[in-house]
Amino acid sequence: MDLLDNTIRPYAWGSPTAIPKLLGVEPSGEPQAEMWMGAHPGAPSRTARGTLVEVIDKDPKGELGEAAVAKFGPRLPFLLKILAAGAPLSLQVHPDLEQAREGYEDEERRGIPVGAPHRNYKDANHKPELICALTEFDGLCGFRAPQESAGLLDGLGVNSLKPYVDVLRAHPEDAALREVLTAILSADREEMAHTVAEATAACIRLGGDYAPYADLAHHYPGDPGVIAAMLLNHVRLQPGEALFLGAGIPHAYLNGLGVEIMANSDNVLRCGLTPKHVDVPELLRVVRLEAGDAGVLRPEAAPDGEEVYETPIDEFRLSRYVLPEGAAAHDLTLPTAQILLCTAGTVHVGEYDLAPGRSVFVPADEEAEVSGAGTVFRATVVV
């Protein structure tokens, strides 16, 4: 197995302290948003044998397992991260596999450079993801019932929001969500900025359920996404709880530290809370205009002590072991590749002692026994 040396991405929304605290190192003063573990070409993990991309390319079946290569091709189909949000991320949705392929092929056919700021589809893959909280973690996930959104908006007492309130109360669910979301994102920017300013003042004054939106407006003053965010469920995860973000589910991470796993893709359709490109027609093609509960996941215990976060996705499977002092070792050997990440205590895996934030790549069929006192997350695939 290989000890991983992982890149930390300094995105502006990252917390300057959360990842350093986990790693037990001094903060640099710069934001540290995500630590990537895997073989994404943008920042592959490094090993003593080369980058993880190079290691897998030399022997895909040996490293990943024959069944995984047959199902997903000669690549690691997931990316594991530690994510530290110190400020809200953009409000966004991800396409399903068919939408991603269609969108990618269309933009390729039209000759839009992959690096162009108005390009939506960087690849032809979908991007389902799962976030598991290591600390309290705030996020937005999925649409609220239109009646609930209407009540929230009406409570602000902002006259320019009244038409949205009326639509949300009078129209069928999907039509109401489509009409109001379209109106918010297509409104005159100057007029919407004035509306957001009025709404922000009301959120600050009212507090309580409105406090998250006041914080959004602090980071993104005048952004239409502040109003769009009020259409979504606000959720606060406790450590160990998770959210699964499937295709078309609008979401945003607001604050907290978590373990995130996703299919290897960079496809994002933004709805707001960003200075980046927002393609309203394409967003409306992809977003699921359905209200529902945010769907907080809690791990399901298996007989051997593994706690599994069940999702309908085969490209990744996330689980964890919470190991008490003196517990017997667990055999984690699999016919597929896996990444093991320690997030608490000290965990022994093979020849390595993993402190929080340290991880190893375990090739298919390589013996992997874990012991110690701490928490280890296991990322692999379903074949």
Side-chain angles (χ1 to χ4, degrees):
M1 67 182 68
D2 299 278
L3 187 66
L4 297 180
D5 178 19
N6 303 306
T7 297
I8 295 176
R9 310 307 295 260
Y11 306 136
W13 50 261
S15 165
T17 58
I19 289 178
K21 182 178 179 181
L22 180 73
L23 298 175
V25 300
E26 287 296 317
S28 67
E30 299 298 316
Q32 298 192 16
E34 297 179 344
M35 184 168 75
W36 288 19
M37 290 157 280
H40 190 289
S45 299
R46 298 169 293 276
T47 78
R49 297 189 286 159
T51 71
L52 200 51
V53 170
E54 293 167 342
V55 168
I56 291 170
D57 282 349
K58 287 177 183 175
D59 184 11
K61 289 183 179 179
E63 300 292 339
L64 303 176
E66 288 195 18
V69 171
K71 188 168 186 176
F72 305 111
R75 60 184 181 86
L76 190 68
F78 64 81
L79 176 63
L80 183 67
K81 301 178 180 179
I82 293 175
L83 182 146
L89 283 67
S90 62
L91 189 60
Q92 59 190 254
V93 298
H94 305 304
D96 63 25
L97 195 54
E98 183 178 352
Q99 291 165 340
R101 287 172 177 164
E102 290 175 353
Y104 180 78
E105 289 170 3
D106 174 62
E107 291 185 325
E108 286 288 282
R109 188 167 50 249
R110 288 190 284 141
I112 302 174
V114 172
H118 63 290
R119 173 104 183 202
N120 293 315
Y121 297 95
K122 313 295 186 185
D123 53 69
N125 199 17
H126 63 165
K127 193 187 178 188
E129 57 192 42
L130 175 79
I131 183 78
C132 177
L134 295 178
T135 64
E136 278 197 343
F137 194 99
D138 280 76
L140 303 170
C141 180
F143 287 110
R144 303 173 188 262
Q147 291 290 341
E148 293 179 18
S149 297
L152 194 68
L153 292 172
D154 199 24
L156 293 170
V158 176
N159 286 334
S160 53
L161 293 177
K162 296 296 185 183
Y164 303 156
V165 172
D166 293 342
V167 170
L168 289 167
R169 285 178 170 161
H171 290 210
E173 178 179 286
D174 60 342
L177 292 172
R178 177 178 293 276
E179 184 172 340
V180 172
L181 184 62
T182 302
I184 291 170
L185 299 182
S186 304
D188 178 84
R189 294 290 293 198
E190 188 173 332
E191 291 179 7
M192 180 53 71
H194 182 71
T195 296
V196 173
E198 283 191 71
T200 300
C203 287
I204 294 170
R205 183 180 71 253
L206 294 167
D209 290 343
Y210 292 96
Y213 310 103
D215 186 61
L216 288 180
H218 169 73
H219 290 285
Y220 299 99
D223 193 301
V226 174
I227 305 302
M230 295 188 191
L231 303 178
L232 272 59
N233 297 297
H234 174 249
V235 61
R236 174 164 293 169
L237 300 177
Q238 297 303 310
E241 295 180 334
L243 288 174
F244 173 69
L245 293 316
I249 302 297
H251 63 278
Y253 302 147
L254 305 183
N255 186 270
L257 182 71
V259 173
E260 185 183 38
I261 190 167
M262 61 181 61
N264 252 333
S265 173
D266 293 320
N267 287 326
V268 174
L269 280 300
R270 294 176 179 84
C271 317
L273 309 180
T274 178
K276 296 182 179 179
H277 177 61
V278 177
D279 184 335
V280 177
E282 187 64 15
L283 168 69
L284 293 171
R285 186 178 82 92
V286 167
V287 69
R288 288 173 56 184
L289 296 162
E290 303 169 2
D293 184 80
V296 174
L297 291 177
R298 295 171 182 85
E300 298 184 15
D304 68 345
E306 185 180 27
E307 299 177 340
V308 182
Y309 294 90
E310 296 287 354
T311 72
I313 296 300
D314 290 346
E315 283 95 335
F316 62 74
R317 177 185 184 273
L318 186 72
S319 63
R320 69 175 185 175
Y321 287 83
V322 180
L323 307 172
E325 186 73 49
H330 295 272
D331 181 8
L332 271 57
T333 307
L334 286 176
T336 57
Q338 53 188 317
I339 293 177
L340 303 177
L341 164 68
C342 176
T343 59
T346 301
V347 176
H348 314 294
V349 184
E351 63 183 284
Y352 299 112
D353 293 335
L354 301 184
R358 303 306 302 273
S359 56
V360 293
F361 172 77
V362 184
D365 296 314
E366 182 161 329
E367 185 175 330
E369 193 172 81
V370 62
S371 62
T375 300
V376 61
F377 280 82
R378 178 196 219 183
T380 186
V381 298
V382 179
V383 294

